[in-house]
């Protein structure tokens, strides 16, 4: 590592003062900002090997347009090849793209029965040359190294973050960082416990999303909001995390999926004398209150369709991994690390002629499947233990078709919303619309 990087480690944020920006230009920087192994790869003309964008249709029939498009865009910024990877943003683009997209593009052009056209051959040759000369393509470690370097440079030289995102360093301009790349780098900062950096990067990224930028990105605003909220939490600012969540949630663009829930009409309570009523009540009021319970993790929503005979065996919704445990590979990507399913929303999207109710055998209750209705319950007691009484099942559909949607609310970010109870076994009521609950004796 060059002097600046050592300085930064030793003196933290004062690094910019010692190394001096903008006097020191990016292309004069004494350190090539990626790991040794990747540094060697810069001499190979990775960036020149075009993906096969022209030629016989058969050669690229499976090639993802997104990959091709990226490559073409990038060509426009390459300019002088030798200088290209000396810009830290380019070095990052290059490694990120090669490590993630090349293997995918390569497997796409390979097809036993088809002939490779000129550009496909060029790409194939480069691919093999790189593999041979450097014993494989750059690895994730290289991409992480490039991300760390970008962060380090940004931190030491205090570039304007907006410019940096736009590919501007001093008086050089290159291809802007994509939302996906920014998120990757910010997450890297978080992993390295550089929460200051992670916070600034995510905050600016989120601001841009709200301005309508990156609308074509594969990364959703929800993913960015969640990442930012996570960093607030880690920085000891859970209230900021909740504030962000509120703001995000109140925007109608992002809460579409719960809209249909409010269409159901309300009727007055019945059966309040029933002791089991304490456990599962028909309360439209519950709706409003618990909608505010939306999780930071917006990914885990599921839609199910049951045909005749379709059913769901008795089960508990929790997955068995808690917020303090390492994420499980089986967890869905967007919700990874968000903890267990603290609560469940069940939305009924269709009427079922006969059958298809959701039953709760341990509390002896049944919720009828009726379009526009919903049920809500907590899967954990207030003391944090699983509430096994929430066991439930989807009855077989006898006549008709049943559509339901589940929205599971995860543990993350709920600490101020669901507090401990005063008694060891405190539980919460379950809610459903008035008409649908039936009591079983
Ligand atoms: O379809 C139902 O009624 C129950 C579905 C369910 O419990 C689930 O998807 O977890
Ligand atoms: Fe379930």
């Amino acid at each position: 590592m060059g002097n600046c990087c050592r300085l930064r480690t030793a003196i933290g944020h004062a690094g910019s003062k010692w190394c001096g920006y903008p006097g020191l230009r990016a292309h004069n920087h004494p350190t090539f900002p990626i790991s040794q192994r990747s540094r060697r790869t810069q001499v190979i003309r990775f960036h020149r090997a075009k993906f096969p964008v022209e030629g016989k249709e058969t050669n690229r029939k499976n090639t993802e347009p997104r990959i091709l498009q990226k490559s073409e865009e990038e060509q426009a910024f390459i300019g002088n090849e030798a200088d290209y990877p000396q810009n830290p943003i380019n070095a990052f683009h290059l490694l990120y793209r090669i490590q993630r997209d090349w293997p995918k593009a390569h497997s796409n052009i390979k097809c036993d029965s088809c002939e490779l056209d000129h550009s496909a051959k060029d790409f194939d040759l480069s691919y093999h040359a790189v593999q041979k000369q450097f014993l494989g393509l750059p690895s994730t470690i290289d991409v992480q190294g490039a991300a760390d370097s970008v962060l380090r440079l940004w931190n030491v030289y205090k570039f304007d973050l907006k410019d940096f995102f736009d590919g501007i360093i001093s008086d050089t301009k290159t291809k802007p960082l994509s939302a996906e790349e920014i998120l990757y780098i910010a997450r890297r900062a978080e992993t390295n416990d550089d929460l200051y950096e992670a916070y600034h990067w995510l905050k600016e990224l989120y601001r841009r999303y709200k301005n309508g930028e990156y609308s074509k990105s594969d990364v959703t605003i929800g993913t960015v909001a969640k990442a930012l909220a996570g960093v607030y939490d880690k920085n000891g600012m859970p209230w900021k995390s909740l504030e962000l969540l509120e703001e995000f949630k109140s925007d109608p663009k992002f809460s579409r999926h719960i809209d249909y829930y409010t269409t159901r009409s309300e009727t007055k309570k019945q059966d309040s004398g029933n002791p089991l009523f304490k456990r599962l009540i028909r309360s439209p009021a519950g709706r409003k209150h618990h909608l505010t319970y939306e999780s930071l993790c917006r990914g885990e929503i599921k839609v199910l369709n049951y045909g005749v005979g379709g059913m769901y065996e008795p089960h508990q919704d929790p997955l068995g991994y808690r917020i303090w445990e390492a994420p499980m590979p089986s967890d869905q990507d967007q919700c990874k690390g968000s903890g267990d399913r603290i609560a469940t929303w069940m939305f009924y999207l269709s009427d079922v002629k006969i059958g298809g109710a959701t039953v709760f055998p341990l509390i002896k209750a049944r919720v009828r499947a009726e379009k526009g209705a919903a049920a809500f319950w907590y899967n954990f007691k207030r003391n944090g233990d699983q509430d096994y009484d929430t066991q439930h099942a989807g009855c077989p559909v006898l006549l008709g078709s049943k559509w339901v949607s589940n929205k599971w609310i995860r543990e993350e970010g709920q600490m101020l919303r669901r507090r401990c109870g005063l008694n060891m076994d405190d539980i919460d009521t379950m809610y459903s619309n008035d008409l649908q609950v039936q009591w079983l004796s």
Side-chain angles (χ1 to χ4, degrees):
M1 289 292 157
N3 282 340
C4 289
C5 310
R6 270 206 296 275
L7 268 179
R8 197 246 146 176
T9 323
I11 59 178
H13 295 307
S16 50
K17 187 173 147 220
W18 288 87
C19 296
Y21 176 79
L24 196 74
R25 296 265 171 81
H27 57 267
N28 289 332
H29 197 285
T31 313
F32 185 72
I34 49 180
S35 69
Q36 283 299 321
R37 179 163 171 246
S38 308
R39 198 194 301 202
R40 277 186 286 128
T41 62
Q42 70 172 298
V43 296
I44 261 284
R45 297 174 307 159
F46 271 1
H47 47 290
R48 272 195 82 198
K50 288 187 186 148
F51 292 129
V53 291
E54 53 197 31
K56 283 182 191 153
E57 208 48 45
T58 44
N59 286 340
R60 57 191 176 97
K61 63 178 187 311
N62 294 323
T63 313
E64 264 196 32
R66 196 175 61 82
I67 294 178
L68 298 178
Q69 193 192 334
K70 258 201 219 163
S71 159
E72 280 168 339
E73 260 171 41
E74 204 151 345
Q75 298 296 323
F77 285 99
I78 284 177
N80 180 344
E81 282 171 21
D83 289 349
Y84 180 80
Q86 294 185 7
N87 176 315
I89 299 179
N90 286 342
F92 181 75
H93 283 322
L94 197 58
L95 284 167
Y96 191 78
R97 182 161 67 84
I98 291 166
Q99 205 262 324
R100 301 182 142 227
D101 291 351
W102 271 38
K104 204 162 158 192
H106 190 252
S107 71
N108 281 345
I109 62 160
K110 288 306 229 184
C111 146
D112 289 344
S113 60
C114 56
E115 220 181 83
L116 297 186
D117 69 1
H118 177 70
S119 52
K121 268 190 196 141
D122 190 22
F123 176 53
D124 190 42
L125 273 174
S126 304
Y127 187 84
H128 287 296
V130 171
Q131 296 265 33
K132 200 164 154 203
Q133 205 165 342
F134 299 109
L135 304 175
L137 291 175
S139 65
T140 37
I141 293 175
D142 293 316
V143 185
Q144 287 168 357
D148 291 348
S149 301
V150 164
L151 285 162
R152 188 180 309 122
L153 290 170
W154 176 71
N155 199 309
V156 169
Y157 295 115
K158 301 275 179 279
F159 302 120
D160 180 90
L161 191 56
K162 295 182 178 124
D163 281 352
F164 204 70
F165 280 15
D166 291 336
I168 299 166
I169 299 177
S170 183
D171 54 3
T172 62
K173 162 100 179 102
T174 191
K175 188 185 153 203
L177 289 163
S178 67
E180 195 183 332
E181 289 174 324
I182 295 168
L183 186 65
Y184 180 95
I185 296 172
R187 282 190 167 144
R188 186 69 200 149
E190 192 185 347
T191 309
N192 295 340
D193 263 339
D194 288 329
L195 298 178
Y196 172 84
E197 280 95 315
Y199 160 76
H200 281 283
W201 280 61
L202 289 169
K203 202 166 161 222
E204 173 57 14
L205 182 62
Y206 183 61
R207 190 192 66 75
R208 288 181 173 216
Y209 263 93
K210 291 212 338 180
N211 273 355
E213 293 173 51
Y214 307 121
S215 57
K216 293 199 180 120
S217 171
D218 290 345
V219 175
T220 64
I221 187 170
T223 307
V224 176
K226 186 185 160 226
L228 179 56
V231 168
Y232 278 136
D233 255 357
K234 279 200 184 162
N235 267 316
M237 296 186 283
W239 60 92
K240 288 288 288 178
S241 156
L242 294 173
E243 195 180 283
L244 170 70
L245 171 67
E246 284 298 331
E247 173 191 302
F248 176 68
K249 201 185 60 183
S250 58
D251 188 324
K253 283 202 293 298
F254 311 126
S255 44
R256 255 192 315 253
H257 67 280
I258 51 176
D259 284 354
Y260 58 83
Y261 179 61
T262 55
T263 59
R264 184 95 186 99
S265 66
E266 297 164 10
T267 55
K268 65 178 172 37
K269 282 184 193 169
Q270 294 164 7
D271 284 344
S272 47
N274 186 326
L276 289 167
F277 194 71
K278 287 195 185 72
R279 197 69 182 92
L280 174 60
I281 62 165
R282 309 156 176 186
S283 166
R287 253 187 244 170
K288 270 213 177 85
H289 173 67
H290 291 290
L291 278 177
T292 62
Y293 223 85
E294 181 66 87
S295 157
L296 298 177
C297 170
R298 302 181 69 82
E300 218 190 4
I301 186 154
K302 185 179 77 175
V303 176
L304 283 177
N305 174 233
Y306 303 79
V308 172
M311 61 170 287
Y312 207 125
E313 302 272 353
H315 65 281
Q316 310 272 347
D317 282 350
L319 301 161
Y321 34 90
R322 305 301 300 270
I323 186 82
W324 55 84
E325 288 167 346
M328 298 285 279
S330 55
D331 199 351
Q332 288 190 9
D333 260 348
Q334 273 196 315
C335 297
K336 230 185 189 114
S338 312
D340 216 326
R341 294 167 172 169
I342 195 172
T344 300
W345 269 112
M346 271 272 315
F347 301 108
Y348 296 86
L349 311 181
S350 71
D351 287 314
V352 182
K353 283 194 188 106
I354 308 180
T358 306
V359 286
F360 297 80
L362 301 181
I363 59 162
K364 296 192 165 57
R366 173 167 58 212
V367 177
R368 274 198 301 124
E370 202 177 300
K371 186 174 176 176
F376 176 92
W377 66 88
Y378 296 93
N379 295 305
F380 288 86
K381 299 180 187 173
R382 286 193 173 260
N383 68 11
D385 291 346
Q386 190 167 331
D387 182 353
Y388 291 97
D389 279 355
T390 60
Q391 190 201 55
H392 57 282
C395 299
V397 173
L398 183 54
L399 207 59
S401 164
K402 173 181 171 189
W403 286 90
V404 288
S405 171
N406 280 307
K407 169 72 189 157
W408 284 294
I409 290 158
R410 299 286 194 114
E411 285 172 280
E412 186 183 25
Q414 311 289 2
M415 73 289 262
L416 296 181
R417 290 171 180 250
R418 192 161 197 240
R419 299 165 193 247
C420 299
L422 295 177
N423 302 307
M424 190 58 189
D425 275 325
D426 278 356
I427 49 171
D428 285 280
T429 318
M430 302 163 78
Y431 298 94
S432 186
N433 303 62
D434 292 349
L435 291 174
Q436 316 164 268
V437 181
Q438 296 165 316
W439 302 104
L440 316 166
S441 46

